[in-house]
Amino acid sequence: RDQDFKKLIVNIILLTSGKDAPQTLRLMIDDVCKAIGEDDTFGGIADAAEWINDQTDVDKKSKTYGGTLYALAISYRCARWRD
């Protein structure tokens, strides 16, 4: 076996504020999902990407801010014993 299989965990944080925060946050989430869905190999440098966790919170009272934290696992290969 001349390759090692690796997994890189990437956290993506989306934050927004303003009177339309919940709608804006949904649009931001859609944009990120669409972008990664277009090519989950990131131009061929990864084997695949998969969502492993997400957490979304919007201010319940005023709904003027919101945020999402996504955790993404990117699987890739590299040459064994590579520096």
Side-chain angles (χ1 to χ4, degrees), residues 1-6 47 76-82:
R1 191 175 106 165
D2 60 345
Q3 291 186 330
D4 282 331
F5 294 86
K6 305 282 186 174
D47 293 327
Y76 65 99
R77 296 175 232 194
C78 64
R80 181 167 270 224
W81 311 116
R82 181 177 169 194

Side-chain angles (χ1 to χ4, degrees), residues 31-43:
D31 286 346
V32 170
C33 291
K34 286 178 189 174
I36 293 172
E38 287 288 318
D39 181 11
D40 70 349
T41 68
F42 299 92

Side-chain angles (χ1 to χ4, degrees), residues 21-22 25 55-67:
L25 187 58
Q55 180 180 347
T56 300
D57 190 27
V58 174
D59 175 33
K60 307 292 187 233
K61 188 174 181 181
S62 65
K63 296 187 179 180
T64 58
Y65 69 88

Side-chain angles (χ1 to χ4, degrees), residues 3-77:
Q3 291 186 330
D4 282 331
F5 294 86
K6 305 282 186 174
K7 190 172 283 194
L8 174 68
I9 306 300
V10 176
N11 290 313
I12 300 169
I13 300 170
L14 305 173
L15 300 171
T16 187
S17 63
K19 65 181 179 93
D20 298 322
Q23 297 85 352
T24 302
L25 187 58
R26 281 192 288 276
L27 291 172
M28 293 168 69
I29 292 168
D30 286 347
D31 286 346
V32 170
C33 291
K34 286 178 189 174
I36 293 172
E38 287 288 318
D39 181 11
D40 70 349
T41 68
F42 299 92
I45 61 172
D47 293 327
E50 78 177 281
W51 298 114
I52 56 173
N53 192 20
D54 68 270
Q55 180 180 347
T56 300
D57 190 27
V58 174
D59 175 33
K60 307 292 187 233
K61 188 174 181 181
S62 65
K63 296 187 179 180
T64 58
Y65 69 88
T68 295
L69 169 64
Y70 272 116
L72 181 68
I74 301 171
S75 302
Y76 65 99
R77 296 175 232 194

